[in-house]
Amino acid sequence: MNQKQQEDLSHIRSMMERSSRFISLSGLSGVFAGLSALIGGLYAYQLFEANGISYLDGNSYQDNSDLVRKLFFTASIVLFSALTFGTFFTWRKSRKYNLPIWTTATKNMLFNLGIPLCVGAVFCLALLSYKSYFLIAPSTLLFYGLALINAEKYTFSDIKYLGFCELVLGCISLFYLEYGLIFWIIGFGLLHILYGIMMFKKYK
């Protein structure tokens, strides 16, 4: 096979990948999403301390409705920040490399990502209503891990490794509920940062 044929095959493979996979994801999205989660998790820990609760001692805080509202608000801010950074860096990468954002692959990825996330959100709201607060952190890790694995076929395959790591952390966290916040910080904070750096170096 001559060089011209090899170049043609590489071009065809590139076109097929662009049409079947969402490749505009930026590693910087993961880094900044992780930083948002890290800051939010540390702030949540400070909220426990400010309310006289030593989280690592496993003390119950189910009757402290004011603290629960603050934690819910903090989680909402973290989610909003992560989505904002993700959207911005994805848009920036697609513009830099002249890649379309809203394609069939994008829709498929969001659909497959969204199903476990929506089910997980409903499940966590149910836990919240029943005041089973200590189960929320591991549940978010588990459903997020499932979502990443489910969406892997429509974006970079590397994302499934992050999904498996989230699942492992979530499973371990189920048996150490008093450390749920620590596992959450590791899963959504540190792992996202490490994954984002690796993706940025690999696909920059």
Side-chain angles (χ1 to χ4, degrees):
M1 184 180 295
N2 58 41
Q3 185 176 356
K4 180 64 167 60
Q5 290 175 320
Q6 290 180 338
E7 291 177 354
D8 289 341
L9 285 175
S10 297
H11 181 66
I12 292 172
R13 279 195 292 265
S14 177
M15 290 180 61
M16 291 178 64
E17 184 179 53
R18 291 190 181 197
S19 63
S20 62
R21 288 179 179 267
F22 179 67
I23 57 176
S24 294
L25 283 177
S26 171
L28 292 177
S29 301
V31 172
F32 280 86
L35 288 174
S36 299
L38 189 61
I39 294 171
L42 294 175
Y43 177 71
Y45 183 81
Q46 292 300 316
L47 285 177
F48 285 113
E49 295 294 322
N51 283 268
I53 298 171
S54 180
Y55 187 86
L56 297 180
D57 289 340
N59 293 334
S60 174
Y61 55 95
Q62 61 183 3
D63 294 327
N64 194 332
S65 57
D66 182 59
L67 176 59
V68 172
R69 282 194 296 269
K70 290 180 180 179
L71 291 173
F72 183 81
F73 179 74
T74 301
S76 300
I77 294 297
V78 170
L79 177 61
F80 176 78
S81 298
L83 291 176
T84 300
F85 284 124
T87 302
F88 171 75
F89 286 112
T90 296
W91 170 81
R92 195 181 73 161
K93 181 180 178 181
S94 64
R95 186 178 180 182
K96 179 179 179 181
Y97 295 102
N98 195 27
L99 297 171
I101 295 181
W102 193 247
T103 63
T104 301
T106 307
K107 297 174 185 178
N108 289 332
M109 185 202 69
L110 291 176
F111 181 76
N112 282 269
L113 185 73
I115 291 176
L117 290 181
C118 289
V119 174
V122 173
F123 184 77
C124 289
L125 286 175
L127 292 176
L128 189 64
S129 66
Y130 286 110
K131 298 184 179 180
S132 300
Y133 303 126
F134 284 106
L135 287 171
I136 293 178
S139 296
T140 56
L141 290 169
L142 290 171
F143 281 102
Y144 182 59
L146 291 173
L148 293 179
I149 295 171
N150 200 43
E152 172 265 335
K153 65 178 72 71
Y154 295 108
T155 185
F156 295 117
S157 59
D158 309 75
I159 202 172
K160 67 175 177 288
Y161 300 116
L162 176 61
F164 286 127
C165 289
E166 302 288 355
L167 283 181
V168 171
L169 276 178
C171 289
I172 297 174
S173 179
L174 287 171
F175 297 94
Y176 299 94
L177 295 179
E178 67 274 20
Y179 299 106
L181 180 60
I182 306 301
F183 282 101
W184 191 92
I185 291 174
I186 294 173
F188 288 100
L190 298 181
L191 280 184
H192 260 135
I193 294 173
L194 291 174
Y195 170 78
I197 292 173
M198 292 173 59
M199 290 289 289
F200 180 74
K201 289 183 176 180
K202 185 175 181 178
Y203 297 107
K204 64 181 180 179

